Amino acid sequence: MRYCSQCGAGVTLRVPEGDNMPRYVCAQCGTIHYQNPKIVVGCLPEWEDRLLLCKRAIEPRYGLWTLPAGFMENGETVQQGAARETLEEAEARVEVGALYALFNLPHINQVYMLFRARMLAPEFGPGSESLETELMRESEIPWDEIAFPVIHESLRLYFRDRAAGHFPLRAGSIWRLEGPERRYEVSLEG
């Protein structure tokens, strides 16, 4: 950040009085610009024994598979956001159920909230951010073509829990490890 969104003057990065974190502070009007993690909401859309996945038509991770999810918008609940993202990315209408997975991704300042959702009909198609959409059984999941570690971990847990017939709330953190290759560490709570 270089300029204040309130008055347009330059900002400096410093720890404001009474705070303990560096923040961008306007040199002219004194506005403190807080930067907080983004909330990503999405669904595990279920139809019979299959889940609806989307192949990404945008970066990052173009051409890889994911669950319908995206950034929450102001003025909506997390459930409304999850349903909206499923409609936008997969043209599927869902009844959003219980929160299933909550993952912290500190390396990219995001919190993922994924809900189990029941598709209202087996009607779906690629939205503007998807190349294709497909209902997949566990045996059909292209595990080596999953876009993000959080999606890979959520799918892995979902199929394990489905086999056990029990869906507890899953929570944890995913940390990117140092180095040029894409390596991650997953820690689950409970």
Side-chain angles (χ1 to χ4, degrees), residues 12-101:
T12 58
L13 186 62
R14 64 181 177 85
V15 177
E17 186 177 327
D19 204 337
N20 62 354
M21 299 280 295
R23 316 278 185 191
Y24 289 103
V25 180
C26 179
Q28 187 167 321
C29 73
T31 297
I32 300 170
H33 297 276
Y34 294 94
Q35 295 179 318
N36 302 101
K38 300 230 182 253
I39 305 288
V40 177
V41 292
C43 287
L44 291 119
E46 303 165 323
W47 182 260
E48 298 173 349
D49 66 339
R50 297 174 289 170
L51 285 180
L52 183 62
L53 275 73
C54 307
K55 186 179 269 192
R56 292 179 59 80
I58 58 172
E59 292 294 349
R61 313 297 282 157
Y62 177 93
L64 298 179
W65 291 93
T66 190
L67 292 166
F71 294 116
M72 186 174 171
E73 297 289 351
N74 291 333
E76 69 183 2
T77 67
V78 290
Q79 293 89 345
Q80 289 169 334
R84 174 187 50 76
E85 285 292 339
T86 303
L87 184 60
E88 287 177 3
E89 294 185 7
E91 296 180 357
R93 296 192 184 285
V94 294
E95 178 184 325
V96 176
L99 177 63
Y100 175 67

